[in-house]
Amino acid sequence: TPLFFDENKMRFLGLDVGRKTIGLAVGEILATELATLRSPKNIDFYSSDGRKLAYKEIGKVMEVEAIEAIVAGLPVNEDGLPTEESDKIRDFCSEMEKTINAPVHFVDETLTSFMAEDMLESQGADKKEIEARVHQLAAELILQQYLEGDEGS
């Protein structure tokens, strides 16, 4: 059982999904960055092999962290329309929802990676730490947005 687990609150897993990395965060009321999954060299997470690998790792995290639902970020254009990347993320999450058997919710993640990078820079993080943590911090921002009720779809 995770630390500070409250059985009355639903636990969520926040995801910042990308081709080569997936940032992870967990939370009930407050989101906390957790880890970053990195794809093997010649595989991306949108490919069949990459998806299987990602779903397996995400499933393990969900079990260890007692996660009940997932929140993924979707980028949108300046005009509010979905991007090519958001279509890939929806496909990835749709298959994941069936594979892992957990509901997936979406929020607008526009600029979360930029915000995460700025936050890390302002905390004095060096380039290596920023690279290591930017996606999991973006996942934290995505999940916190959802937990605060600014839900997407």
Side-chain angles (χ1 to χ4, degrees):
T1 303
L3 218 51
F4 308 117
F5 181 69
D6 180 350
E7 62 189 38
N8 298 319
K9 297 264 185 265
M10 191 169 191
R11 272 180 78 74
F12 292 91
L13 179 67
L15 299 180
D16 177 40
V17 179
R19 180 177 302 284
K20 300 301 280 176
T21 60
I22 300 175
L24 307 175
V26 295
E28 298 164 4
I29 297 170
L30 288 176
T32 306
E33 65 180 276
L34 183 67
T36 299
L37 299 180
R38 297 184 192 288
S39 67
K41 242 186 182 34
N42 298 321
I43 296 177
D44 75 61
F45 286 128
Y46 298 142
S47 71
S48 178
D49 287 346
R51 286 181 184 207
K52 286 177 190 164
L53 184 68
Y55 300 158
K56 183 178 177 186
E57 292 303 312
I58 291 168
K60 287 181 196 173
V61 170
M62 290 186 65
E63 193 173 321
V64 169
E65 294 291 332
I67 302 296
E68 297 173 71
I70 298 168
V71 177
L74 281 180
V76 294
N77 287 325
E78 288 177 14
D79 56 10
L81 295 172
T83 65
E84 187 180 323
E85 186 74 6
S86 58
D87 292 340
K88 290 176 182 172
I89 293 168
R90 273 196 190 276
D91 288 346
F92 176 93
C93 289
S94 175
E95 189 178 327
M96 179 178 60
E97 194 169 32
K98 295 174 200 144
T99 304
I100 294 177
N101 197 23
V104 178
H105 307 279
F106 294 101
V107 295
D108 177 357
E109 70 147 30
T110 306
L111 302 179
T112 53
S113 291
F114 293 109
M115 288 169 52
E117 197 168 324
D118 282 350
M119 290 169 71
L120 290 167
E121 283 175 2
S122 71
Q123 294 168 8
D126 62 22
K127 192 172 178 113
K128 192 173 183 179
E129 184 181 357
I130 290 170
E131 195 175 292
R133 291 181 53 208
V134 68
H135 299 289
Q136 62 200 47
L137 184 55
E140 178 183 317
L141 296 172
I142 288 164
L143 180 55
Q144 191 60 47
Q145 180 181 336
Y146 181 85
L147 294 172
E148 290 173 3
D150 190 11
E151 299 164 20
S153 58

